Amino acid sequence: MSALFRLTATETRLFFREPMSVGFALAFPPVLLVIFGAIPSFREPDADLGGLRIIDLYAPIVVAMGITMFAMTGLPQQFATYREKGILRRMRTTPVKPTAMLGAQLLMCTVLSVVTMLVVLAVGRLAFDVALPRAIPAYLVAYLLSALAMFVIGLLVASLAPSGKSAGAAGTVLLFPIMFFAGLWLPREAMNDVLRTISDFTPLGAGVQSLQDATAGKWPSPLHLAVILGWTIVAGGLAARYFRWE
């Protein structure tokens, strides 16, 4: 356990040495929420949305975006790069096994994404009076399940990509459709029936709806939780099948 924490601390220091990564993964989601909140029409109640404001809908979407930044850009590229440079192969000859590096990366991404979530919630509440989650246990369950699903998908990208650069490129390409169906360009409430149905069966579409339900004080629907778990199981099985340490 001490080796895991030391590796996590080392990986965190390395992460903060890259200003672009820090800005993209940690700073961009809160800044994006501020940009949305600066649009006057986004702060006006909308009868078609049940009296909610567009900024209220975007807060969970931006929280989910914070997860995706780590899962689709940082995690796959870093792990594929370590494999490409032989770092994971050399670790197999030491008392600290490559699985410890995997655990350190997942722990770091989880902790930093939670920090991003807290910053987004604080900015939304203090700057734009966005409601905090009413069902906190449900919100945490939805958040952690969504994070698990996205990190596993990121590991699947790392397992299939031949190099660090290709893993980063593949993750960035996947980022756009994943965030589209999560509602970044068009909130789920504004989607037509076909798009919303597709969104319901995507990991972040189901995740965002679960976060919105928890914010409103409800538990996520069994369908959305099942979708998130299904993606976790399938992507996790494929990642375990194809992942290579060298």
Side-chain angles (χ1 to χ4, degrees):
M1 187 61 67
S2 60
L4 173 63
F5 289 148
R6 287 198 297 270
L7 269 176
T8 303
T10 299
E11 290 300 306
T12 303
R13 286 195 296 269
L14 292 174
F15 171 79
F16 279 100
R17 289 179 183 175
E18 298 291 337
M20 289 296 294
S21 298
V22 174
F24 193 61
L26 287 178
F28 184 64
V31 169
L32 184 62
L33 187 68
V34 171
I35 293 172
F36 286 148
I39 302 174
S41 61
F42 279 26
R43 301 194 305 269
E44 297 296 329
D46 191 330
D48 294 334
L49 299 177
L52 292 175
R53 304 169 301 165
I54 296 178
I55 190 64
D56 297 323
L57 301 180
Y58 266 113
I61 296 170
V62 174
V63 166
M65 184 182 187
I67 298 172
T68 312
M69 292 297 189
F70 286 100
M72 290 289 99
T73 57
L75 182 62
Q77 182 172 5
Q78 192 73 5
F79 235 79
T81 299
Y82 282 166
R83 182 181 62 226
E84 182 183 9
K85 292 183 176 180
I87 294 174
L88 299 181
R89 182 182 67 250
R90 292 194 292 271
M91 287 185 68
R92 298 183 73 175
T93 65
T94 71
V96 181
K97 299 304 180 184
T99 50
M101 179 64 76
L102 173 60
Q105 284 286 328
L106 291 175
L107 181 58
M108 180 193 73
C109 290
T110 300
V111 171
L112 292 181
S113 67
V114 169
V115 171
T116 303
M117 174 194 71
L118 294 175
V119 172
V120 169
L121 292 178
V123 170
R125 180 60 179 173
L126 297 175
F128 308 112
D129 199 30
V130 175
L132 294 175
R134 297 179 183 175
I136 294 179
Y139 194 92
L140 293 177
V141 168
Y143 182 87
L144 292 176
L145 289 179
S146 299
L148 178 61
M150 293 309 303
F151 291 155
V152 168
I153 294 173
L155 289 177
L156 176 58
V157 173
S159 69
L160 297 176
S163 66
K165 287 185 178 180
S166 61
T172 301
V173 170
L174 287 174
L175 174 70
F176 292 99
I178 288 174
M179 288 309 306
F180 173 82
F181 286 110
L184 182 60
W185 285 273
L186 184 68
R188 283 173 43 85
E189 288 73 10
M191 292 180 179
N192 60 36
D193 292 341
V194 174
L195 287 178
R196 190 180 300 181
T197 299
I198 296 174
S199 174
D200 283 335
F201 288 93
T202 63
L204 272 197
V208 166
Q209 186 59 53
S210 297
L211 292 174
Q212 289 177 339
D213 289 342
T215 300
K218 302 179 293 184
W219 273 92
S221 75
L223 170 65
H224 294 132
L225 293 180
V227 168
I228 298 171
L229 289 173
W231 277 94
T232 302
I233 294 170
V234 172
L238 291 174
R241 169 65 177 81
Y242 292 108
F243 194 85
R244 306 177 311 280
W245 294 110
E246 55 185 78

